[in-house]
Amino acid sequence: MDLELDGNTALCTAASSGLGLASATSFAREGANVAICGRTESNIEAAREQLQAAGDGGVVAVQADITDPDHISAFVEETVDEFGGLDHVVTSAGGPPSGTFEDMADRDWYQAYDLLVMSAVWTLRETRPHLEQSDAGTIVAITSRSVREVIDDLLLSNAVRRAVIGLVKTVSREFAPEIRTNAVLPGAHETARIEELIEDGVDRGEYDDYQAGYEDKGAGVPLGRIGEPRELGDVVAFLSSGRASYVNGVSLPIDGGSMRS
Ligand SMILES: NC(=O)c1ccc[n+]([C@@H]2O[C@H](COP(=O)([O-])OP(=O)(O)OC[C@H]3O[C@@H](n4cnc5c(N)ncnc54)[C@H](OP(=O)(O)O)[C@@H]3O)[C@@H](O)[C@H]2O)c1
């Protein structure tokens, strides 16, 4: 299926690796221009090479911290200067620290709020005027299955991410019909984040070793395995394309069928 994204421009936050990069790569394969950001220079350069190899569109890859609104503003400005506009936005972020209620100080709550919620607010505020100029404007927020079913030892993800779903659902009404807004809810996908969570589980004594943790993450999945990042990125590109032109305000699990609700 041709997603007809050729020549469009997609901006993906926190996308120098993992699910954000997988989404940008899916856009690039379709011939879109892509813009990504992250904090670590070496990851940004590796991502730039991956994106340039994936397609014929242009690539902007910049160092920006999404917990700083000025960085987001500069990232959006550089993208629009380079490509002359913006058609698609994908918000991703790093993951908040794992832990229980007892583990979290006020500072952790506020940092998670900035990372997960305010980064999306600032990105939408900066990009909305450009998306309204497009005849294909879309937003997809990458969140987590934790917004539907809480995950043990991930209090901050369980609690704070739900605000992103409230944001997405609300702006899917306020920004329409010019802009469609949706969310995707990843289950376990093979990225640095899932490695970090398995290692945390080993440290807490939940798993004997990394392999045991890895197998556990795939065990409850009806499809019998952890997802490939590309399996999320391709859905993000589809939701952003005209092929999904009547899809607005949904929160779509991409979890191999793990979710029971
Ligand atoms: N993978 C999964 O199985 C899974 C499942 C459910 C939910 N999620 C959530 O989905 C999101 C993406 O996960 P992922 O697996 O792609 O994680 P990842 O592989 O760890 O990638 C996170 C990306 O975000 C960047 N980043 C982190 N903090 C940033 C900041 N303050 N400013 C700019 N860039 C930042 C990282 O680069 P730098 O560190 O260099 O900045 C990296 O490129 C996370 O919120 C995660 O919790 C993931």
Side-chain angles (χ1 to χ4, degrees):
M1 185 190 287
D2 180 2
L3 297 183
E4 297 176 0
L5 294 168
D6 195 3
N8 285 9
T9 296
L11 175 144
C12 307
T13 64
S16 58
S17 75
L19 302 179
L21 178 57
S23 303
T25 305
S26 294
F27 278 104
R29 275 197 215 100
E30 294 292 324
N33 304 314
V34 289
I36 60 118
C37 75
R39 292 167 305 175
T40 313
E41 191 60 48
S42 55
N43 289 352
I44 296 164
E45 286 315 309
R48 185 201 305 279
E49 284 174 24
Q50 176 174 321
L51 293 168
Q52 284 170 339
D56 295 332
V59 176
V60 164
V62 302
Q63 201 165 23
D65 184 337
I66 58 168
T67 62
D68 184 333
D70 292 339
H71 285 208
I72 292 176
S73 175
F75 175 39
V76 172
E77 191 178 334
E78 187 170 337
T79 303
V80 171
D81 283 352
E82 177 67 20
F83 300 125
L86 197 52
D87 305 291
H88 313 289
V89 168
V90 179
T91 62
S92 192
S98 58
T100 63
F101 184 83
E102 202 59 35
D103 298 327
M104 298 305 160
D106 288 0
R107 182 187 65 251
D108 300 310
W109 284 92
Y110 287 121
Q111 284 176 349
Y113 197 79
D114 272 355
L115 178 65
L116 299 174
V117 184
M118 291 315 296
S119 68
V121 170
W122 292 321
T123 303
L124 268 51
R125 190 178 288 147
E126 288 296 324
T127 56
R128 182 185 183 186
H130 303 292
L131 294 176
E132 284 179 341
Q133 297 295 314
S134 166
D135 56 6
T138 63
I139 298 163
V140 176
I142 299 176
T143 63
S144 171
R145 72 182 178 91
S146 68
V147 304
R148 293 262 184 87
E149 290 180 348
V150 298
I151 303 171
D152 289 344
D153 290 311
L154 272 180
L155 172 72
L156 292 175
S157 179
N158 297 336
V160 176
R161 284 187 199 276
R162 288 174 190 232
V164 179
I165 297 303
L167 170 69
V168 163
K169 197 65 191 168
T170 306
V171 303
S172 74
R173 301 177 65 80
E174 290 185 7
F175 292 5
E178 290 83 6
I179 302 169
R180 288 186 299 110
T181 309
N182 294 293
V184 291
L185 316 182
H189 290 258
E190 199 151 356
T191 69
R193 169 67 173 170
I194 210 74
E195 287 173 15
E196 176 193 311
L197 292 178
I198 293 171
E199 279 158 11
D200 287 351
V202 173
D203 290 346
R204 283 194 299 267
E206 284 165 26
Y207 309 126
D208 288 342
D209 55 25
Y210 185 86
Q211 187 57 28
Y214 184 89
E215 283 165 17
D216 182 65
K217 291 283 178 199
V221 183
L223 292 187
R225 61 180 174 82
I226 287 179
E228 299 286 334
R230 179 179 176 156
E231 293 176 301
L232 185 129
D234 284 351
V235 178
V236 169
F238 166 73
L239 283 175
S240 304
S241 77
R243 301 290 179 169
S245 54
Y246 205 55
V247 181
N248 184 39
V250 304
S251 296
L252 180 65
I254 304 174
D255 65 351
S258 307
M259 206 176 286
R260 291 166 187 261
S261 56

